Amino acid sequence: MNKQMSVAQRLILGFGLIVVLLLACVGVAINGYSNLNKSLDQILNVNNKKMLTAAKVVAAGQEMRAHYRTVIIVENDAAANQKAVDSYNAAKQRWDDGFKVLKEMISADGSDAERAVLAEVEKSFEAARSSADETVRLGVQDKTLHKIVGTSIL
């Protein structure tokens, strides 16, 4: 077959094969970029939203913790104590709102592992939250009692 083909035909066949291989490489690259674009879209539009919402929930939990400690620590300053209680309640509301949004996001398009972690967080936080609420209540009650009796807390 090679002896029957002219030099021009061999050159055309050679360059034609190179063009076909080049087009195949371009097709594979375009497919790869398309898959990469889908992955980036998932990360930016789904995962980052979940992450930011979860970070807000964690921040609200940290604020709750700081404010209920303030309720315990602040002594002889009713205004500061009330401000700490109000801040605690506001942080608790932000946690509730953020957790509700996060739960909706994960129930809509989350994995089974995400749902399991979320359920564990919800279960654990309820126990911690009831303890924190009781701490705030007792902290306020204790200060009120000491104010009525007229004794120092320490």
Side-chain angles (χ1 to χ4, degrees):
M1 182 170 179
N2 283 342
K3 293 183 180 185
Q4 295 175 356
M5 293 177 60
S6 68
V7 174
Q9 288 175 333
R10 288 184 205 167
L11 285 173
I12 290 172
L13 181 62
F15 283 116
L17 286 174
I18 290 175
V19 167
V20 167
L21 288 174
L22 183 63
L23 290 174
C25 288
V26 167
V28 168
I30 289 173
N31 186 40
Y33 284 128
S34 175
N35 291 338
L36 180 64
N37 187 36
K38 289 176 188 173
S39 296
L40 285 174
D41 185 57
Q42 173 75 17
I43 290 169
L44 292 174
N45 295 324
V46 177
N47 295 356
N48 275 356
K49 287 181 182 178
K50 287 181 193 175
M51 182 187 69
L52 291 174
T53 303
K56 288 177 185 177
V57 169
V58 168
Q62 295 295 336
E63 286 179 47
M64 287 170 57
R65 191 169 55 115
H67 294 307
Y68 80 71
R69 280 195 316 247
T70 303
V71 170
I72 297 168
I73 295 170
V74 171
E75 184 178 344
N76 299 327
D77 189 352
N81 197 38
Q82 187 58 46
K83 181 179 177 187
V85 170
D86 292 342
S87 297
Y88 171 79
N89 288 328
K92 186 166 66 168
Q93 186 61 47
R94 281 194 305 279
W95 193 93
D96 288 340
D97 295 343
F99 192 78
K100 181 181 176 185
V101 169
L102 185 62
K103 195 172 184 178
E104 289 170 359
M105 292 170 98
I106 289 177
S107 66
D109 65 354
S111 67
D112 290 337
E114 287 175 324
R115 288 185 189 94
V117 168
L118 188 70
E120 188 64 32
V121 167
E122 187 173 27
K123 178 181 170 188
S124 299
F125 194 77
E126 287 306 316
R129 182 183 180 144
S130 63
S131 297
D133 288 343
E134 185 68 9
T135 301
V136 169
R137 187 185 68 74
L138 290 173
V140 171
Q141 180 183 0
D142 186 46
K143 290 178 182 145
T144 304
L145 177 65
H146 286 290
K147 188 173 184 180
I148 292 171
V149 174
T151 60
S152 174
I153 291 176
L154 297 174

